Amino acid sequence: MPSYIVVGGQWGDEGKGAVIAYLALKDKPDIIARGGVGTNAGHSVFINGRKYAVRQLPTGFIQTKARLLVGAGVLVDPGVFFHELKALEDFNVGERVGIDYRCAIIEERHKQLDRSNDHLHGKIGTTGSGCGPANADRVMRRAKLAKDIAELEPYLTDVAEEINNALEDDKLVLVEGTQGFGLSLYYGTYPYVTSKDTTASAIASDVGIGPTRADDVIVVFRSFPTRVGAGPFPTEMSQEEAERLGVVEYGTVTGRRRRVGWFDFEFARYSVRINGATMIALTMLDKYDKEAFGITDYDRLPRKAKEFVEEIEERVGVPVALIKTGPEIKHIIDRRDTI
Ligand code: GTP
Ligand code: IMP
Ligand code: MG
């Protein structure tokens, strides 16, 4: 049984949430684990027209048979955690979720600093979720860990142990990354980045699996990349252009307007290389070609859409195995059996 890691290939908000939700329902993983920075990420999933947004729990929560885990590398904000447990009550999340006892904790003062500090808030344009300051305390080795918080006790576990045991028993494990390649502390557009590496290797480490344990790395790209906050964006288009193309959007966590750009093939090639991608998931093909909306069969895609997919495969050098053609889980073309 393979294990796979899903990561963002651009500046986050690639639609990882929607891709992961599909994989969770289709492949029925035994474990769905979240890596990444923390509550700075907002993944959204549309189910039957209703939008669910999660910042702390794995997006795969919709697969109600799976164990849901938050890896040791991830920052936990207890307030957000309990809020999501309540909001997702219908999915029996409380009975299935486990947090690694070594997760570091985001405290109120971290959020305040993230929102008031000129450098973080003013210059970098952080999400204000407290992640950067909490990671700074972690590096200073003075952050609280999940095992220090009494209310989290019922949910504590050893995520690395659970995942490695599952893999040894030939179970299927789906690992979710957050943010995107361009926001990596190491490989992104420093200093306009998040507080950690965001590549597949870091996500594997976050949940406690070695690099040899991942069978597939799926890098998610959107047809029109977006970026929230400050920093270089070489293919950025003007707001008027974004309006004309009907690709204006707002952030899940901050509500800020997202900057929009054209697909950057060079950047995508670099991203799949450093991530060691075996597959690409392309989202929002319906925004690139309106005629592609809702199509689930590759052969039925209009010519313009197909040519775009072919160009990506040719210039980026990795098969486009999954294609999202709309926001709902069912709006997807799954070509994994052809590669
Ligand atoms: P991050 O962790 O912040 O990167 O989250 P994310 O990658 O899950 O993306 P996010 O949910 O923040 O934003 C993507 C938005 O696009 C969501 O509202 C999705 O429901 C939506 N979406 C995903 N795929 C498609 C698609 O193929 N077409 C359209 N029209 N919308 C999509
Ligand atoms: P921080 O991660 O809150 O410190 O923010 C640092 C930078 O990363 C800012 O430009 C944020 O807008 C961006 N960022 C962090 N998380 C996400 C995400 O999930 N989606 C998009 N941008 C993000
Ligand atoms: Mg998002």
Side-chain angles (χ1 to χ4, degrees):
M1 272 292 197
S3 64
Y4 37 81
I5 302 180
V6 180
V7 290
Q10 290 149 328
W11 282 278
D13 306 322
E14 295 91 353
K16 290 183 291 297
V19 170
I20 291 161
Y22 167 76
L23 293 172
L25 288 182
K26 174 79 181 170
D27 295 5
K28 304 183 179 57
D30 298 280
I31 291 184
I32 303 171
R34 179 156 169 162
V37 183
T39 50
N40 50 352
H43 294 283
S44 24
V45 195
F46 276 92
I47 311 166
N48 302 325
R50 196 170 154 196
K51 184 172 172 166
Y52 296 88
V54 282
R55 294 172 52 196
Q56 184 77 75
L57 298 174
T59 321
F61 71 85
I62 64 164
Q63 171 49 265
T64 50
K65 292 201 168 60
R67 172 88 168 133
L68 304 172
L69 297 174
V70 179
V74 180
L75 296 164
V76 170
D77 181 331
V80 176
F81 175 74
F82 286 109
H83 171 81
E84 289 183 3
L85 281 195
K86 181 111 195 46
L88 304 175
E89 238 166 21
D90 293 353
F91 296 87
N92 280 339
V93 164
E95 292 158 29
R96 302 187 284 131
V97 73
I99 296 178
D100 196 285
Y101 65 94
R102 293 156 289 202
C103 289
I105 298 295
I106 301 175
E107 296 177 57
E108 203 47 48
R109 64 191 166 85
H110 296 131
K111 289 183 258 190
Q112 276 167 16
L113 183 62
D114 207 10
R115 288 168 195 163
S116 61
N117 181 275
D118 273 351
H119 177 70
L120 293 174
H121 178 76
K123 182 178 172 197
I124 310 294
T126 64
T127 58
S129 54
C131 288
N135 267 335
D137 268 355
R138 194 174 204 181
V139 173
M140 290 297 282
R141 281 144 290 177
R142 61 189 179 199
K144 283 192 184 139
L145 300 185
K147 66 181 166 62
D148 304 320
I149 310 294
E151 305 84 79
L152 292 177
E153 219 277 324
Y155 305 99
L156 298 184
T157 187
D158 183 333
V159 169
E161 176 79 11
E162 283 202 41
I163 296 188
N164 283 288
N165 284 343
L167 290 174
E168 278 155 26
D169 291 347
D170 230 12
K171 291 185 171 161
L172 180 60
V173 176
L174 169 59
V175 182
E176 310 182 8
T178 60
Q179 284 77 43
F181 180 69
L183 292 171
S184 162
L185 181 63
Y186 300 164
Y187 302 103
T189 51
Y190 187 91
Y192 300 98
V193 292
T194 189
S195 51
K196 232 169 76 174
D197 180 26
T198 56
T199 63
S201 314
I203 303 299
S205 159
D206 285 341
V207 300
I209 59 174
T212 53
R213 288 283 170 265
D215 295 279
D216 274 299
V217 172
I218 303 176
V219 173
V220 185
F221 292 117
R222 23 184 318 156
S223 59
F224 290 107
T226 57
R227 171 154 210 175
V228 267
F233 191 177
T235 59
E236 184 169 11
M237 63 176 77
S238 67
Q239 296 217 343
E240 296 73 50
E241 182 88 66
E243 268 157 36
R244 195 179 62 77
L245 291 167
V247 292
V248 173
E249 26 179 299
Y250 296 86
T252 310
V253 176
T254 58
R256 290 183 287 181
R257 183 168 170 155
R258 291 175 176 165
R259 298 156 65 193
V260 189
W262 300 99
F263 194 88
D264 187 337
F265 293 91
E266 285 299 302
F267 185 82
R269 193 178 165 80
Y270 186 53
S271 175
V272 302
R273 194 169 191 205
I274 304 292
N275 276 298
T278 55
M279 293 183 222
I280 288 172
L282 177 67
T283 65
M284 323 229 184
L285 190 60
D286 55 308
K287 294 201 177 182
Y288 181 81
D289 181 345
K290 306 266 180 289
E291 302 290 309
F293 182 81
I295 289 181
T296 54
D297 177 358
Y298 186 75
D299 295 330
R300 294 190 47 230
L301 277 180
R303 179 127 68 125
K304 181 181 165 194
K306 257 191 197 160
E307 281 174 1
F308 182 50
V309 173
E310 284 164 12
E311 189 178 359
I312 292 175
E313 292 192 323
E314 204 170 292
R315 292 177 63 184
V316 180
V318 173
V320 178
L322 294 162
I323 303 170
K324 289 279 302 147
T325 56
E328 289 268 351
I329 290 170
K330 62 183 182 210
H331 298 147
I332 196 160
I333 300 170
D334 188 345
R335 307 163 80 203
R336 287 179 293 165
D337 58 346
T338 67
I339 62 167

